[in-house]
């Protein structure tokens, strides 16, 4: 039996692999154009972009960047530094261990996209390009020149495929489009994998502290954006700037340092998070912060089930609801059918224990299923919980949950005389109600992280990974698959119940509508699963970052109205297309998704070896 090979499946023998750019400009002028454009971009941010302050941010001031100009200034500085590094200047070149040219393309794209978005917004809102001042025109030309110069930088073109002239027009178009996409992706690929540099321990710790400080500043700035145009510009700038730093090798460098100093990184991350309420002048954004922590803690619990054990749970939010309902019923609410008012430690034990019991009861009969069948059963459990809570109103069923009205008027927590519902002054800063709960939730998140970390590195954690990778092989090696999966299910449910206890007191009211499979307000099962996959399955920081993004972005995109979920879903599709392993993946999953990009000396993980037939 012979296999017919078409021209479209054969590398083009006449292809010229001499490094060239996407735009036919010599390398020297291209680098000069990118550098000059970056410098001119910086200068333009100190000029007025429009004559009226009607556009938010007040871009009418000379000598003082405001609003979106600040984002363009940051992107311009990054573009200039990377363009200087591309010349091989000693000292600056060390900032780009993975190469400067690909990083320069992303940095210039960040400046270009943010600038032109600002100009288009000014023209749309104010009624035409006539509302632009010289600074706006200078910024538009400078960013276009910088991006053009970056695209003209030479790169090693990947193999393309010859187009068969006997194919139909649609087939020829498909092959030409595939070749164009391959070349375009090659233009933005890093020149070489970064080589981590070993520095003195104190220097690496200082780098970690600096990275955490930058992360706190970026998060604080993003959560405090005052108008829609600024938040969209913030997303564009951060996305492309992060890609630039990643291609430059700095992200991998910092990741190497954090892996060497995990305890210091963990302590520093929680210290940076604890500093967040002190950066706020009121309780407005602390509200978002505490909900992000609740969402992130539940996502981390789901990460045990999905990321470590490989069990697809589509009804996980029900365990959050079980914990919230159980805690609210024993916290002194007048809507509770039980006349009980336990202290905080009692309520949190009741909430966590109730979720644990439900986890065992649901997991025991269902965990003998695998894959899609398990997912369907867990989805059914999530809906059953919501419907039971809805109908337990004394009319359609027993009077337990007060039906659709839920358990309301849940009193604030008090721990050792500290009332979380009152304002307190700490270090001269007034901390409001939501900031109090933020600190409590941060402590609970810290406990959950410790539990996840200890579980991951334990014998049971290695058994979970074995089950996830190949359950049949794990069973053949003597692992009790049912018991191991049940432990993961029960532990994940307990952690969700722990977060649900605090959620009940933060929201004052617990209703069935809060625990659906999918709605526009997280947390829900769909968003929780997306947070784990988006952030990076099997890691600690991945679901925390993913949950923060998935909660913050929809809350800031509310101005899109009916198109909010469309824009959000489109962003997720693009992210999963270009970074399927997640934002912060573990090394195994990264190698699985990028087997073709393995560096010399890298060994594929066992799952990759099995795919290649080795």
């Amino acid at each position: 039996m012979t296999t017919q090979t078409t021209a479209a499946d054969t590398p083009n023998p006449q292809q010229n692999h001499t490094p060239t750019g996407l735009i036919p400009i010599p390398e020297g002028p291209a680098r000069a154009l990118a550098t000059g454009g970056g410098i001119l971009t910086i200068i333009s941010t100190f000029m007025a972009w429009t004559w009226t302050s009607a556009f938010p941010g007040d871009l009418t001031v000379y000598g003082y960047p405001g609003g979106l100009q600040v984002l363009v200034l940051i992107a311009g500085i990054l573009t200039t530094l990377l363009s200087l590094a591309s010349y091989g200047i000693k000292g600056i070149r060390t900032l780009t261990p993975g190469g400067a040219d690909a990083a320069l393309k992303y940095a210039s794209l960040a400046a270009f996209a943010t600038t032109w978005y600002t100009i288009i917004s000014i023209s749309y809102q104010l009624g035409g390009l006539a509302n632009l001042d010289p600074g706006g025109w200078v910024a538009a030309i400078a960013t276009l020149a910088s991006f053009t110069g970056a695209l003209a930088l030479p790169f090693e073109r990947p193999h393309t495929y010859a187009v068969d002239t006997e194919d139909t027009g649609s087939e020829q178009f498909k092959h030409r489009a595939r070749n164009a996409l391959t070349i375009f992706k090659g233009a933005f690929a890093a020149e070489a994998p970064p080589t981590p540099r070993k520095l003195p321990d104190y220097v690496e710790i200082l780098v970690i502290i600096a990275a955490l400080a930058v992360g706190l500043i970026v998060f604080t700035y993003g959560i405090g954006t005052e108008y829609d145009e600024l938040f969209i510009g913030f997303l564009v700038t951060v996305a492309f700037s992060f890609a630039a730093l990643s291609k430059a090798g700095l992200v991998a460098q910092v990741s190497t340092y954090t892996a060497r100093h995990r305890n210091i990184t963990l302590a520093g991350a929680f210290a940076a998070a604890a500093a967040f309420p002190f950066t706020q002048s009121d309780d407005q954004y602390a509200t978002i912060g505490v909900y992000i922590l609740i969402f992130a803690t539940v996502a981390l619990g789901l990460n045990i089930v999905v990321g470590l054990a490989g069990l697809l749970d589509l009804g996980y939010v029900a365990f959050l609801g079980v914990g919230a309902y159980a805690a609210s019923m024993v916290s002194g609410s007048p809507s509770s059918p039980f006349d009980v008012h336990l202290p905080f430690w009692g309520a949190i034990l009741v909430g966590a224990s109730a979720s644990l019991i439900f986890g065992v009861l649901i997991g025991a009969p269902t965990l003998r299923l695998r894959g899609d069948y398990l997912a369907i059963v867990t989805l059914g459990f999530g809906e059953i919980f919501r419907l039971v809570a809805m109908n337990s109103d004394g009319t359609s069923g027993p009077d337990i949950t007060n039906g659709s009205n839920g358990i309301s008027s849940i009193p604030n927590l008090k721990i050792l005389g500290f009332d979380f519902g009152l304002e307190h002054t700490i270090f001269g800063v007034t901390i409001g109600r939501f900031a109090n709960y933020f600190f409590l939730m941060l402590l609970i998140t810290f406990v959950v992280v410790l539990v996840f970390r200890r579980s991951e590195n334990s014998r049971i954690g290695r058994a979970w990974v074995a089950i996830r990778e190949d359950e049949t092989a794990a069973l053949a090696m003597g692992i009790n698959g049912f018991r191991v999966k049940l432990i993961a299910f029960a532990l994940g449910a307990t952690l969700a119940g722990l977060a649900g206890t605090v959620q009940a007191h933060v929201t004052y009211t617990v209703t069935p509508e809060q625990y659906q499979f999918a709605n526009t307000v997280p947390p829900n099962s769909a968003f929780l699963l997306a947070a784990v996959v988006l952030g990076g399955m099997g890691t600690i920081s991945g679901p925390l970052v993913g949950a923060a993004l998935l909660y913050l972005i929809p809350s800031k995109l509310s101005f899109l109205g009916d198109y909010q979920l469309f824009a959000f879903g489109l962003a997720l599709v693009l992210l999963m297309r270009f970074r399927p392993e997640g934002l912060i993946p573990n090394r195994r999953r990264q190698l699985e998704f990028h087997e073709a990009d393995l560096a010399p000396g890298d060994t594929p993980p066992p799952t990759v070896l099995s795919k290649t037939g080795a």
Side-chain angles (χ1 to χ4, degrees):
M1 181 178 178
T2 60
T3 302
Q4 183 178 2
T5 303
T6 64
D9 297 322
T10 306
N12 187 356
Q14 299 180 352
Q15 182 181 355
N16 181 14
H17 288 282
T18 303
T20 56
L22 290 176
I23 298 177
I25 299 177
E27 179 178 358
R31 294 192 187 278
L33 191 61
T35 306
I39 295 174
L40 199 57
T41 299
I42 297 174
I43 296 174
S44 69
T45 59
F46 292 89
M47 304 171 64
W49 285 19
T50 181
W51 61 274
T52 173
S53 59
F55 186 81
D58 193 5
L59 310 184
T60 64
V61 182
Y62 278 86
Y64 186 81
L68 286 161
Q69 287 178 322
V70 176
L71 301 175
V72 176
L73 173 62
I74 295 172
I77 293 174
L78 183 60
T79 300
T80 303
L81 288 176
L82 291 174
S83 62
L84 293 176
S86 68
Y87 283 102
I89 299 177
K90 189 176 181 181
I92 301 180
R93 177 65 180 178
T94 57
L95 299 177
T96 57
D101 287 355
L104 176 58
K105 293 183 177 70
Y106 279 105
S108 60
L109 178 57
F112 172 79
T114 308
T115 300
W116 281 75
Y117 165 73
T118 305
I119 291 172
I120 293 173
S121 298
I122 291 174
S123 302
Y124 176 76
Q125 293 190 22
L126 302 183
L129 293 174
N131 294 280
L132 289 178
D133 266 8
W137 293 106
V138 172
I141 297 172
T143 54
L144 178 61
S146 179
F147 187 46
T148 301
L151 291 180
L153 295 178
F155 65 97
E156 189 68 31
R157 290 178 175 252
H159 284 285
T160 57
Y161 296 87
V163 179
D164 195 340
T165 55
E166 297 181 359
D167 284 340
T168 62
S170 61
E171 289 295 325
Q172 290 188 23
F173 175 79
K174 181 177 70 174
H175 294 312
R176 294 183 190 278
R178 182 179 65 175
N179 288 340
L181 181 60
T182 301
I183 294 174
F184 188 78
K185 289 173 62 178
F188 284 82
E191 296 92 296
T195 302
R197 298 176 58 201
K198 182 68 177 74
L199 300 175
D201 288 345
Y202 74 91
V203 176
E204 294 182 354
I205 293 173
L206 289 177
V207 171
I208 293 173
I209 294 174
L212 292 174
V214 170
L216 176 62
I217 293 172
V218 171
F219 177 77
T220 303
Y221 185 89
I223 203 173
T225 48
E226 299 175 353
Y227 48 93
D228 303 333
E229 294 84 357
L230 184 60
F231 182 72
I232 294 178
F234 168 78
L235 288 182
V236 172
T237 304
V238 169
F240 289 124
S241 297
F242 180 81
L245 296 177
S246 180
K247 292 297 181 181
L250 293 178
V251 174
Q253 194 83 18
V254 174
S255 299
T256 302
Y257 297 157
T258 57
R260 291 174 185 166
H261 309 280
R262 289 189 176 183
N263 292 331
I264 294 177
T265 302
L266 182 62
F270 278 95
F276 168 71
F278 295 100
T279 65
Q280 306 301 308
S281 57
D282 53 40
D283 220 24
Q284 177 183 0
Y285 298 118
T287 306
I288 300 178
V290 70
Y291 284 120
I292 287 176
L293 282 180
I294 293 173
F295 191 18
T297 302
V298 181
L300 197 57
L302 179 61
N303 196 26
I304 293 178
V305 180
V306 177
L308 294 184
L311 306 174
L312 184 55
D313 188 349
L314 297 182
Y316 186 76
V317 74
F319 297 121
L320 176 69
V322 169
Y325 266 104
S328 63
M329 290 178 183
V330 297
S331 295
S333 170
S335 303
S336 172
F338 310 108
D339 187 16
V340 179
H341 190 178
L342 297 180
F344 168 71
W345 62 267
I348 202 169
L349 284 178
V350 170
S353 300
S355 295
L356 169 63
I357 293 172
F358 270 85
V360 173
L361 292 178
I362 299 302
T366 61
L367 287 178
R368 300 187 188 278
L369 302 174
R370 298 186 185 182
D372 299 339
Y373 302 101
L374 176 62
I376 292 173
V377 170
T378 54
L379 176 61
F381 163 66
E383 288 301 298
I384 289 173
F385 164 76
R386 183 178 64 84
L387 293 175
V388 168
M390 180 78 71
N391 292 303
S392 298
D393 56 359
T395 302
S396 303
D399 187 10
I400 299 177
T401 63
N402 203 24
S404 59
N405 294 323
I407 307 296
S408 60
S409 302
I410 302 172
N412 286 301
L413 287 175
K414 291 183 180 180
I415 301 178
L416 300 177
F418 186 91
D419 192 337
F420 283 77
L422 302 178
E423 291 186 348
H424 301 275
T425 301
I426 303 177
F427 302 121
V429 178
T430 300
I431 302 298
R433 176 179 183 271
F434 285 101
N436 294 331
Y437 280 107
F438 179 89
F439 288 121
L440 175 62
M441 200 61 225
L442 188 64
L443 179 61
I444 293 178
T445 304
F446 181 75
V447 173
V448 173
V449 167
L450 289 181
V451 171
F452 183 93
R453 184 176 175 184
R454 297 293 295 177
S455 301
E456 180 187 18
N457 297 327
S458 67
R459 180 180 179 182
I460 192 69
R462 293 191 293 272
W464 287 336
V465 174
I467 291 288
R468 181 193 70 194
E469 296 299 325
D470 193 329
E471 184 173 353
T472 303
L475 296 177
M477 295 301 293
I479 295 177
N480 189 328
F482 174 75
R483 184 181 66 182
V484 167
K485 291 191 291 185
L486 185 60
I487 292 174
F489 212 72
L491 181 58
T494 304
L495 298 181
L498 201 65
T501 303
V502 180
Q503 185 206 26
H505 291 83
V506 171
T507 58
Y508 285 126
T509 303
V510 179
T511 59
E513 289 78 9
Q514 296 174 334
Y515 308 106
Q516 300 182 28
F517 169 74
N519 52 34
T520 57
V521 181
N524 55 65
S525 293
F527 271 62
L528 288 170
L529 185 61
V532 174
V533 177
L534 170 67
M537 292 194 296
T539 64
I540 294 177
S541 54
L544 298 179
V545 173
L549 292 176
L550 288 184
Y551 192 92
L552 178 61
I553 293 177
S555 65
K556 289 290 187 177
L557 292 181
S558 57
F559 67 93
L560 292 178
D562 295 337
Y563 296 97
Q564 175 185 351
L565 287 181
F566 171 77
F568 184 61
L570 180 62
L572 288 181
V573 169
L574 293 176
L575 184 61
M576 289 295 99
R577 169 62 183 83
F578 294 103
R579 198 174 177 85
E581 70 274 21
L583 292 175
I584 308 178
N586 59 25
R587 184 60 173 163
R588 175 185 291 273
R589 290 188 61 81
Q590 194 170 26
L591 293 177
E592 288 176 1
F593 281 104
H594 298 281
E595 179 186 356
D597 302 331
L598 289 177
D602 274 344
T603 303
T607 52
V608 178
L609 289 175
S610 63
K611 293 176 185 177
T612 57

